[in-house]
Amino acid sequence: MTYRVLVVDDNAVIRLGLAGLLTTLGNVAEVLEAGNGHEAVMVAEREKPDLVLLDVRMPVCDGLTALPRLVPIAPVVMLTYSDEADIVSRALELGARGYLVHGQITEEHLAAALRACADGGTVLGPGVVELLLGAAAAGNGTAAPAPVTPADLRTPHGPADKLALLTSREADIMQAVATGRSNAEIAAGFFLSEKTVKNHINRIYDKLGYRTRAEAISDWLRA
């Protein structure tokens, strides 16, 4: 399978470098470019790319502003220098399929992003999971726990008592999902069929109120 990738960054040198790197992967048929979020939406609507690599901080229209308009068109992976935990969480909540940070990724990470998005999965670059876990731990150290209600447990951003709603197998599978593994990788690790894994994940989403894989990962890591 070959892909058409839209690279969105206000720095023309970065766009050029990414275009050159993507073309070496062998399965990228075309690289499209945009210099800000507004341009990205116009190009995506017109060209219907298979994947969008989106920067966060850009003039005219930043990545987080454009993200909700891009997600219905194509899978979006944030590719940026911004490594703040709140930005990572917000991007995942808005529907990004992954988050990669410049200076911490290799050609293999870009190739993994393509494969993960094609498989309906999520890709988190080196240090991103640790960043979210660190932010969650810091928050847990200062915030008082809120009272737990059934409504809390059904929402994506309720407290950490969600484990009580899951079977041990479902909890194990959700933990595997949170590491960014695809359904195929999870199936191999648990000696299950991909269909069984998908059924487990659908039940988890129904129990915890998740709508997307990225939302599930972000919330699970915080919990």
Side-chain angles (χ1 to χ4, degrees):
M1 181 177 180
T2 59
Y3 307 89
R4 299 171 70 242
V5 181
L6 171 58
V7 175
V8 187
D9 198 295
D10 61 308
N11 189 320
V13 175
I14 290 178
R15 294 201 306 270
L16 181 64
L18 284 172
L21 180 56
L22 286 166
T23 55
T24 67
L25 298 182
N27 57 352
V28 176
E30 182 180 7
V31 178
L32 307 163
E33 296 184 23
N36 58 61
H38 179 65
E39 289 181 10
V41 172
M42 291 193 298
V43 173
E45 289 177 339
R46 182 179 69 246
E47 300 292 341
K48 301 296 189 294
D50 299 301
L51 174 70
V52 178
L53 298 177
L54 181 65
D55 190 19
V56 171
R57 294 189 172 93
M58 295 177 289
V60 182
C61 177
D62 64 71
L64 294 183
T65 300
L67 184 55
R69 296 182 61 189
L70 291 168
V71 166
I73 302 172
V76 179
V77 172
M78 309 306 293
L79 180 55
T80 177
Y81 282 104
S82 302
D83 60 355
E84 297 90 339
D86 58 336
I87 292 179
V88 176
S89 295
R90 184 60 178 153
L92 296 178
E93 289 166 4
L94 289 173
R97 288 274 194 89
Y99 204 102
L100 303 173
V101 179
H102 284 298
Q104 300 178 10
I105 60 170
T106 64
E107 178 180 324
E108 287 73 23
H109 291 114
L110 288 178
L114 290 171
R115 291 194 301 270
C117 289
D119 190 39
T122 299
V123 58
L124 298 176
V128 173
V129 172
E130 290 80 359
L131 183 71
L132 292 173
L133 288 172
N140 289 339
T142 57
V148 179
T149 68
D152 287 330
L153 293 172
R154 293 289 299 176
T155 61
H157 307 296
D161 300 70
K162 295 178 168 130
L163 268 174
L165 294 178
L166 304 182
T167 67
S168 59
R169 173 51 60 91
E170 287 170 345
D172 289 342
I173 288 178
M174 188 58 230
Q175 185 62 32
V177 169
T179 65
R181 294 162 67 186
S182 68
N183 287 2
E185 290 170 329
I186 295 170
F190 286 94
F191 301 100
L192 301 171
S193 70
E194 285 190 55
K195 186 176 187 302
T196 299
V197 170
K198 185 176 181 180
N199 288 339
H200 276 302
I201 291 173
N202 286 339
R203 283 195 293 271
I204 293 168
Y205 287 11
D206 182 60
K207 287 181 178 182
L208 303 186
Y210 297 140
R211 294 163 296 179
T212 68
R213 200 178 188 97
E215 180 184 50
I217 290 174
S218 176
D219 186 57
W220 186 262
L221 290 176
R222 284 200 302 270

